[in-house]
Amino acid sequence: MAVMLILLGGLVTWFVGWIIYCRWLHPYSKYPGPFLASFSRLWIIKELYSGHLEVTLKKWHAKHGPIIRIAENEVSVSDSTVIKAIYGAGTTFTKTEFYSAFSMPWSRFPEHFCNIDPKSHGERRKLVNHVYTMTNVGRYEPAIEECIELLYQRVKDASESGRPTDMALWLRYYAFDVIGILFFSRPFGFLETKKDYRGWINATDVLILFMAASAFVPRWMRSLVLMTSIVVPGAMAAVKAMDTMSDAGFEAVEKRQKELEESGGVMEKDDMLASFFRVMEEHGDLDNFGPPEIRGEIYTAIIAGSDTTASAITSVLYHLTKNPRTYWKLRDEIDTAVAEGRISSSGRVRYANAVKLPYFDACCKEGMRVHASLGLSFPRYTPKEGVELLGEFFPPGVKVGCNPQIVQRDKGVFGEDADEFVPERWLGRNAADLERHMLNFGGGPHMCLGKNISMMEIYKALPELIRDYDFELVDPKKEWTLINRWFHQPKNVQTIVTKRKK
Ligand code: HEM
């Protein structure tokens, strides 16, 4: 009993001391923020659960200024002029252990996204950078077109049925299938079967809250947080589905190795997987790039590249349909380009031609600005000598971060109408400057590796669909449903699709 009392007393003293330290002595004690955040990470977890962290955070910034304390050792900065310093080329800020939570137990090296050691990250990324360049991704344009054909069929079905259809879901299926065709030489089958292949989408929806929450707690608590997911109905099935996602890369590598053996070492398929096999051939022994690393590339692409891309395309289409003025202006641009032979009048639209449509390009940028695919701050440690930001000194080793959903709506840079969907802002003379204040794809050493894949997916699909079909929201007055649990996902965008008369 006495031991228990001593332990309890010790715990209470520690807790009181911790609160006093956090609220009055910590370098961040001077910054405003929610009470729970001033001594814990509970505020973030609570907001993750609500699915609308960016809404609450925006209110805090609007009321209390550009620096808000979101956890005992972390602030969010809403002023987009700091992006270059924190995330730009040559930055000395480093990723925090938040990222290591997403690393897979079978990895020999943390995947690029999870690698928080700048030296190792730079070395590992150098091995594969060329696989993700637009020149290499461009080689797979015909493969992406196979998925566009499948998407086109689903849109056609919707127009023929005359019933509302959920474009958010079809675009999600499309984005997953593109990863399938690029990395496995075949779409996974989402669009073909009109089903959630192996339950991956459901698994992500069920588990993302726990995966994100586990990244915010200390390492020793991560497994505990993940285990709490068992209270959610269907969690076990979701965990099993997630396992099949992680195994998919393993299966793909094994299958390709077997095919290579059978063909006497001739690589018969030409896809991203083949590119990684070439990296393995060249660097395998020298740089430890083998099957587990290829598996890591594939797993990251499925997890980091599907929902993010789907969210971006859905945002562009949703905001166009929500703002008919922009929709009609874009439709005119596409029709004129068809009439002048700058894009094809039927069949697939070439990426090289789509990017040359100025208003369309502006609509895509604006769709990704008003809606960021990732909706939490990207946390970084301040450099070892400390740093000055916005006239404030930040000591070494504290966490700062910008949330793309907040900084991309910074009125100081994007103007008083920053909350509105106004593609025209990208046609002005200051467009290049606006670009520097975007964080949707990250920046500098951690700039999204799959950006070119996503650009190809987005820019190829939409002009063709709008050329041949009209899209209208079932209820244009209703806002879309968004859930932000790291992936900032649109749901249930009910749309009426009509075949255009030509
Ligand atoms: C519209 C679609 C996408 C968006 C908005 C997006 C966004 C981002 C962002 C913001 C980061 C940096 C995160 C940070 O610094 O904290 C990132 C990194 C990354 N993304 Fe993407 N992503 C997209 C598509 C893809 C695709 C298709 C792939 C792969 C096929 C991919 C793979 C990666 C990888 C590997 C990293 C880590 C890069 C590094 O740290 O070296 N992403 N992405």
Side-chain angles (χ1 to χ4, degrees):
M1 186 65 181
V3 176
M4 288 287 281
L5 279 176
I6 291 169
L7 277 178
L8 195 67
L11 204 65
V12 171
T13 313
W14 173 84
F15 189 61
V16 171
W18 174 248
I19 294 201
I20 291 173
Y21 167 72
C22 290
R23 289 191 53 82
W24 286 283
L25 304 172
H26 192 281
Y28 279 171
S29 57
K30 61 180 167 174
Y31 296 120
F35 173 72
L36 275 180
S38 66
F39 62 91
S40 71
R41 310 191 77 77
L42 287 174
W43 178 79
I44 296 183
I45 311 269
K46 175 175 91 63
E47 290 296 325
L48 267 182
Y49 180 73
S50 82
H52 302 293
L53 180 141
E54 79 293 353
V55 177
T56 319
L57 186 58
K58 191 164 190 256
K59 285 185 192 151
W60 272 93
H61 278 299
K63 199 160 173 207
H64 300 282
I67 305 175
I68 295 295
R69 190 182 200 183
I70 57 170
E72 81 290 354
N73 190 26
E74 184 167 345
V75 291
S76 156
V77 184
S78 64
D79 186 323
S80 62
T81 57
V82 302
I83 290 179
K84 188 167 179 279
I86 303 179
Y87 303 99
T91 179
T92 44
F93 288 71
T94 51
K95 276 190 167 182
T96 70
E97 62 285 355
F98 167 86
Y99 293 90
S100 54
F102 300 100
S103 194
M104 295 311 287
W106 39 258
S107 312
R108 294 195 295 184
F109 301 91
E111 297 75 19
H112 311 294
F113 183 75
C114 318
N115 197 336
I116 62 177
D117 173 51
K119 186 166 175 287
S120 149
H121 170 263
E123 287 166 2
R124 303 307 302 169
R125 197 169 149 149
K126 213 161 128 197
L127 296 175
V128 296
N129 267 337
H130 65 282
V131 179
Y132 294 93
T133 56
M134 192 46 105
T135 314
N136 197 49
V137 172
R139 292 175 46 220
Y140 309 122
E141 185 166 353
I144 295 179
E145 290 182 350
E146 283 183 43
C147 296
I148 295 183
E149 174 59 29
L150 292 167
L151 174 65
Y152 197 89
Q153 287 305 322
R154 298 293 77 88
V155 168
K156 185 165 173 270
D157 295 345
S159 98
E160 284 169 2
S161 79
R163 285 194 298 274
T165 198
D166 178 7
M167 282 309 294
L169 186 69
W170 295 125
L171 291 169
R172 216 172 165 189
Y173 282 5
Y174 165 63
F176 269 95
D177 270 345
V178 169
I179 298 297
I181 202 144
L182 290 181
F183 288 81
F184 297 74
S185 264
R186 61 171 177 83
F188 290 122
F190 285 86
L191 285 165
E192 177 89 64
T193 62
K194 306 179 206 170
K195 280 203 191 107
D196 178 8
Y197 173 79
R198 290 185 170 183
W200 287 354
I201 285 184
N202 176 59
T204 317
D205 288 349
V206 171
L207 297 177
I208 190 70
L209 168 65
F210 299 93
M211 288 158 76
S214 76
F216 281 110
V217 298
R219 278 173 195 256
W220 63 269
M221 281 176 78
R222 281 182 182 162
S223 307
L224 284 176
V225 170
L226 288 172
M227 267 156 54
T228 56
S229 64
I230 55 170
V231 299
V232 176
M236 284 322 289
V239 169
K240 279 193 192 136
M242 264 311 182
D243 281 347
T244 67
M245 198 189 275
S246 139
D247 288 346
F250 178 69
E251 289 159 16
V253 175
E254 234 189 10
K255 188 162 169 253
R256 189 62 58 91
Q257 278 174 325
K258 219 161 156 206
E259 285 167 4
L260 264 178
E261 274 166 33
E262 284 163 11
S263 66
V266 180
M267 181 67 77
E268 281 165 351
K269 290 188 176 124
D270 184 20
D271 52 12
M272 302 275 287
L273 188 54
S275 296
F276 292 124
F277 267 74
R278 280 192 286 275
V279 175
M280 180 162 75
E281 220 173 86
E282 222 175 290
H283 294 274
D285 297 336
L286 207 65
D287 297 303
N288 284 319
F289 191 93
E293 286 63 46
I294 302 185
R295 191 180 170 191
E297 297 293 329
I298 297 175
Y299 181 69
T300 311
I302 301 176
I303 276 272
S306 305
D307 276 322
T308 45
T309 308
S311 180
I313 317 184
T314 307
S315 171
V316 179
L317 186 60
Y318 166 79
H319 284 98
L320 282 164
T321 46
K322 186 89 176 134
N323 298 276
R325 177 192 69 79
T326 60
Y327 188 94
W328 294 114
K329 193 165 166 184
L330 173 62
R331 205 176 91 144
D332 276 354
E333 178 180 74
I334 292 172
D335 288 356
T336 310
V338 170
E340 292 172 359
R342 285 183 284 118
I343 64 169
S344 54
S345 58
S346 64
R348 310 286 91 94
V349 171
R350 302 282 306 158
Y351 175 75
N353 296 334
V355 285
K356 286 189 202 132
L357 300 173
Y359 194 67
F360 174 58
D361 182 45
C363 291
C364 291
K365 286 181 174 142
E366 187 67 348
M368 289 189 260
R369 183 191 70 81
V370 288
H371 174 80
S373 299
L374 295 172
L376 304 182
S377 289
F378 303 155
R380 297 292 190 266
Y381 278 123
T382 48
K384 59 178 185 308
E385 59 286 357
V387 70
E388 197 172 301
L389 292 172
L390 306 176
E392 297 273 325
F393 181 74
F394 289 76
V398 286
K399 295 177 198 173
V400 296
C402 294
N403 181 325
Q405 189 59 37
I406 303 282
V407 284
Q408 290 178 184
R409 298 217 183 175
D410 178 1
K411 290 190 174 157
V413 169
F414 294 97
E416 278 308 307
D417 60 356
D419 286 332
E420 313 295 321
F421 178 77
V422 184
E424 286 74 9
R425 76 178 85 247
W426 294 100
L427 301 172
R429 276 213 236 126
N430 64 341
D433 185 47
L434 298 186
E435 196 95 59
R436 283 190 280 276
H437 294 88
M438 290 285 287
L439 194 57
N440 195 37
F441 286 104
H446 293 288
M447 167 65 91
C448 174
L449 203 44
K451 180 178 175 186
N452 293 323
I453 296 177
S454 301
M455 297 299 273
M456 178 80 77
E457 280 181 65
I458 300 166
Y459 278 67
K460 277 186 72 63
L462 287 176
E464 177 180 335
L465 294 179
I466 294 172
R467 179 194 67 199
D468 295 349
Y469 290 92
D470 278 334
F471 294 83
E472 271 175 277
L473 290 173
V474 168
D475 182 355
K477 290 206 187 77
K478 213 172 126 200
E479 293 295 320
W480 58 351
T481 304
L482 290 173
I483 307 277
N484 178 10
R485 286 184 172 145
W486 180 222
F487 294 142
H488 190 196
Q489 280 173 334
K491 301 265 182 200
N492 203 17
V493 178
Q494 290 296 331
T495 311
I496 300 279
V497 185
T498 325
K499 176 100 183 117
R500 285 185 60 190
K501 294 188 182 63
K502 299 257 171 93

